[in-house]
Amino acid sequence: MGDGVAPWLVLFGLGIYHGLNPGMGWLFALALGLQERSRRALLQALVPIAIGHFLAIGLVALPTVLLQGLLPLRLLRGGAALALLAIGIYRWIRARHPRWVGLRVGFRELVVWSTLMASSHGAGLMLAPLLLGPLCVAPGYSSGAVWLLGSLWNALGASAVHTLGALLMMGLAAWAVYEWVGLAILRRMWVNMDLLWALVLILTGFLMLLMLL
């Protein structure tokens, strides 16, 4: 397996970047906290949101590493690049600010909402360049228990590190707005993170394709 801390730091950094996107959940948690007038409600909402994000990442990361023992790595990288381009272009065309539905949601509903939201943004696919690159399972362990354990570690570890970065950023953003900034600044200084994320997806997919040439 790929060693060194650099790939894991990149995963953590991607999580921070992803957690900054209001559409990933911190704005929802903030709204719940303001509705209940409770910091505790805000923090509690971040737990199911983080679980949903972890599930969305894992649903992509696990098959990505397991398929390394079945398909050529070049084919997997090409497929991941095309998928990143496709979702990036889709998000570019459909980029828009988050639209709220009802705020009376429970733990399960928040998990499902977060999973679907992160999946629709192609969050898991952003880990593919690392899982098919620096964190790729070593060719010498292409079968057997050692390879399987390595694959599971890469998938779960990558999902956990990425989600931790996202959770910390979401919590910091929601807490800062709740305590000091206020919602008024969001109306004056809104940044379309969906559009920015779409550009990152497209750029990543394009670079992956260039590396295959």
Side-chain angles (χ1 to χ4, degrees):
M1 289 176 284
D3 49 17
V5 298
W8 301 99
L9 291 176
V10 173
L11 285 170
F12 187 78
L14 284 173
I16 290 177
Y17 172 72
H18 211 178
L20 186 62
N21 187 343
M24 287 295 96
W26 71 259
L27 192 55
F28 206 148
L30 173 64
L32 289 171
L34 291 173
Q35 182 187 38
E36 301 293 333
R37 296 184 179 180
S38 168
R39 299 177 183 86
R40 182 177 180 181
L42 184 155
L43 296 175
Q44 286 179 337
L46 291 174
V47 176
I49 290 173
I51 292 174
H53 197 86
F54 176 84
L55 292 175
I57 298 297
L59 287 173
V60 175
L62 187 58
T64 298
V65 295
L66 291 178
L67 286 174
Q68 292 177 23
L70 302 174
L71 298 174
L73 194 57
R74 185 177 179 84
L75 177 62
L76 290 174
R77 288 172 175 167
L82 292 176
L84 283 166
L85 285 171
I87 294 182
I89 293 172
Y90 174 79
R91 294 305 309 174
W92 173 277
I93 296 173
R94 298 291 300 273
R96 56 188 178 186
H97 300 320
R99 297 181 182 273
W100 303 113
V101 289
L103 290 178
R104 293 294 182 180
V105 293
F107 190 97
R108 182 184 303 174
E109 288 81 5
L110 271 179
V111 171
V112 173
W113 175 85
S114 178
T115 304
L116 294 176
M117 185 63 67
S119 298
S120 69
H121 280 72
L125 281 172
M126 282 300 295
L127 276 64
L130 292 168
L131 293 171
L132 297 173
L135 296 178
C136 187
V137 178
Y141 299 108
S142 58
S143 62
V146 174
W147 172 81
L148 181 59
L149 289 175
S151 299
L152 292 174
W153 164 252
N154 278 10
L156 295 177
S159 301
V161 170
H162 178 86
T163 301
L164 177 61
L167 176 60
L168 291 176
M169 188 68 251
M170 286 189 290
L172 179 61
W175 185 270
V177 175
Y178 184 93
E179 293 289 346
W180 302 298
V181 180
L183 287 176
I185 195 172
L186 296 179
R187 291 190 287 267
R188 297 195 302 266
M189 300 179 61
W190 185 272
V191 176
N192 193 332
M193 295 297 294
D194 279 349
L195 184 59
L196 185 59
W197 182 253
L199 288 172
V200 173
L201 290 171
I202 294 171
L203 179 61
T204 304
F206 181 71
L207 290 176
M208 285 189 71
L209 284 179
L210 283 181
M211 292 174 64
L212 293 175
L213 299 178

